[in-house]
Amino acid sequence: MARVYNFSAGPSMLPEPVLEIARDQLLEYGCSGQSVMEMSHRSSTFDAIIKDTEAALRRVLNIPDNYKVGFIQGGASTQFAMVPMNLMTTGHADYIVTGNFSNRAAKEAAKFGQVDVVASSKDKNFTYIPDPDTIAYTPGASYVHICENNTIFGTRYTKLPQVPGVPLVADMSSCILSRPTDVSQYGLIYFGVQKNVAPAGMAIAIVREDLLGNAGPAVPDMLNYKTLIDADSMYNTPPCWCIYMTGLVLDWIENQVGGLAEMEKRNNAKAAVLYDYLDSQEFYKNPVEKEFRSIMNVTFTSPTPELDKKFCAEAAAAGFVNLKGHRLVGGMRASIYNAMPAEGVAKLVQFMEDFRKANA
Ligand SMILES: *Cc1c(COP(=O)(O)O)cnc(C)c1O
C-alpha cells in the first residue's frame, strides 16, 4: 500500500487514524454484529452514534445552547436554496460575492426573493475580500450571506460583517473546524462535510433557534430546517455512514489533536511553510493579497500554462495528487485541510523547489 498526499479541494484526505478505526469497525461496530452501513437508523446503536456526534460537534465548536444542529443531505449546494427558503422573511437579503460559490449562492437565492449583491471582489478576479466595515448593507435585509473561505480562489475573511439586527449566514464548507469559531457571531453556519469533516454526502447546518420556523407553506419538508431539526435529523433515513465518520473525525480533533486551538496552530504552521516558500522565489506566483490568503487552499502558478501542466503530471507521479487548479483560475492549488500532515506540505515544497531548479 502506498498512500499519496492528496491535495484535492474536496473530497479530501481523512486522518489516517480515523480510516484505521473505520476499517477495524467496518464489519462489526461494537458488539452489534453489523456494520454501521447496514444498521437501522432507528436502532439504539445508531441513536447513540448520532447523539454522540452532535454532542462532540457542540463541544469542539463550543456551540451555544440556543443553536440547533442539523445533519442534512444534498451538500453545501442544497444549502444555497435552503437558506433563502427558510430565512428570507423580509423578501430580500444581502450577499457578498467573493468567488464562485458565493456567486452561486446569490443566484440560487434570487429564485426566492430579491438579492442585493452589496459587495464583490470580481473587479480583481476575487484575489481579495471587500472590507466588511465599509459596505452599505440594505436596511431590512433578512440576512447577510458570505462564503468565509473561498476554496477556488484561495482567500478568506479576516473579519466578519457585523450588521446590528441582521443575522450573518456563512458558508464554511472549506474552513469549518480548521480553527476556533465564535458561533454566536452567526445566525446560521453551513458546510458540506467533504472538505474537512467526513466523506461526501452531507452538509451540517448550525442554526440560531429564533431563525427557525419561518419557512412558507410551499417549502418541502425535506428542505425545511425546522422539520429536519425537530426530527433530530431523522425525518427520513439520514446519511448514517457520514454521521458516523463525522463522529470519528471529531473524536480525532478532540482527543488526538487536542482541540481547535491546536488544530489552528498546526494549520497556520503548514500554510506558513508553503506561503514562505512562495514568497522566497520568483518562479511560482500566488495572486492573492497577502492579508486574505487562505490557510486551507493555496493557489499558485508557474511561469506558463505548459509548465503548470508538467508540474501537475510530475507531482502526481511523485505521489502529490490533485494539485491542478480549478478551471476558473488555472495553475495549481494545494488544499491543505486538517488531515494533510505537515510532512506532506514540507515534501511538496521540496518537490516544488526541485521542479523550479529543473525548469527555471
Ligand atoms: C465545495 C464547496 C461547496 C459545494 O459543496 P457541495 O457539497 O459539492 O455542494 C460550496 N461552498 C464551498 C465554500 C465549497 O468549498
Side-chain angles (χ1 to χ4, degrees):
M1 184 186 70
R3 281 178 56 78
V4 292
Y5 292 111
N6 180 7
F7 291 90
S8 170
S12 30
M13 290 182 87
L14 287 160
E16 222 162 272
V18 164
L19 292 175
E20 282 164 358
I21 294 171
R23 177 196 59 200
D24 293 347
Q25 297 180 338
L26 192 66
L27 272 78
E28 182 180 16
Y29 176 83
C31 297
S32 67
Q34 55 195 308
S35 172
V36 175
M37 290 190 220
E38 304 168 301
M39 75 182 43
S40 165
H41 60 294
R42 305 284 177 204
S43 64
S44 59
T45 310
F46 187 74
D47 192 57
I49 291 175
I50 192 170
K51 288 210 166 81
D52 289 350
T53 300
E54 179 177 336
L57 185 69
R58 286 183 171 279
R59 280 195 309 274
V60 169
L61 269 176
N62 203 8
I63 300 176
D65 288 343
N66 64 323
Y67 285 74
K68 299 283 189 189
V69 171
F71 299 102
I72 308 170
Q73 293 176 55
S77 299
T78 300
Q79 296 302 303
F80 296 166
M82 281 181 70
V83 165
M85 286 173 125
N86 287 271
L87 265 57
M88 208 192 264
T89 51
T90 62
H92 63 104
D94 284 354
Y95 278 70
I96 302 177
V97 173
T98 53
N100 180 58
F101 290 118
S102 47
N103 186 43
R104 272 177 46 193
K107 284 207 167 121
E108 190 78 335
K111 295 174 181 169
F112 303 99
Q114 185 184 320
V115 164
D116 293 303
V117 176
V118 289
S120 165
S121 50
K122 192 167 195 281
D123 58 338
K124 293 187 189 162
N125 197 31
F126 302 119
T127 51
Y128 72 104
I129 300 292
D131 182 355
D133 294 344
T134 61
I135 293 171
Y137 298 97
T138 313
S142 300
Y143 57 87
V144 176
H145 181 282
I146 63 165
C147 177
E148 196 159 320
N149 182 78
N150 295 283
T151 323
I152 294 175
F153 294 90
T155 62
R156 55 130 187 199
Y157 280 73
T158 51
K159 64 181 170 186
L160 296 173
Q162 289 185 311
V163 189
V166 180
L168 177 64
V169 175
D171 176 355
M172 295 184 67
S173 297
S174 53
C175 59
I176 194 70
L177 298 175
S178 64
R179 59 180 169 75
T181 294
D182 179 1
V183 174
S184 72
Q185 299 291 305
Y186 305 81
L188 189 156
I189 291 169
Y190 66 85
F191 48 97
V193 294
Q194 71 273 27
K195 314 291 167 64
N196 233 356
V197 189
M202 179 171 85
I204 297 178
I206 302 168
V207 196
R208 211 175 66 205
E209 221 164 28
D210 61 286
L211 300 174
L212 291 167
N214 296 315
V219 172
D221 287 340
M222 283 295 292
L223 301 178
N224 187 325
Y225 288 122
K226 188 165 166 51
T227 310
L228 297 176
I229 287 170
D230 279 354
D232 296 324
S233 298
M234 297 239 232
Y235 181 75
N236 73 328
T237 317
C240 302
W241 178 256
C242 245
I243 291 166
Y244 159 75
M245 289 295 290
T246 299
L248 293 187
V249 169
L250 287 164
D251 185 62
W252 173 76
I253 292 174
E254 200 173 18
N255 298 312
Q256 295 200 39
V257 176
L260 291 185
E262 178 59 29
M263 196 80 252
E264 178 180 36
K265 256 192 231 163
R266 292 188 189 187
N267 286 329
N268 285 346
K270 280 188 293 180
V273 167
L274 203 35
Y275 285 121
D276 286 351
Y277 173 69
L278 287 169
D279 290 342
S280 73
Q281 49 74 57
E282 299 278 307
F283 183 82
Y284 304 103
K285 297 211 177 334
N286 168 278
V288 173
E289 287 183 23
K290 282 189 183 172
E291 180 189 349
F292 304 112
R293 284 172 162 178
S294 169
I295 301 302
M296 297 278 104
N297 311 96
V298 181
T299 62
F300 55 96
T301 53
S302 74
T304 66
E306 290 70 38
L307 278 173
D308 289 347
K309 218 173 154 188
K310 188 172 178 220
F311 178 96
C312 291
E314 291 185 10
F320 309 102
V321 305
N322 291 319
L323 280 160
K324 190 172 182 292
H326 192 277
R327 65 197 143 73
L328 292 173
V329 181
M332 277 73 75
R333 170 178 50 173
S335 295
I336 50 174
Y337 298 118
N338 285 354
M340 172 60 67
E343 181 196 63
V345 177
K347 286 184 175 168
L348 173 66
V349 164
Q350 186 56 53
F351 173 83
M352 289 169 73
E353 178 58 8
D354 293 345
F355 184 87
R356 184 191 70 80
K357 282 196 188 126
N359 293 279

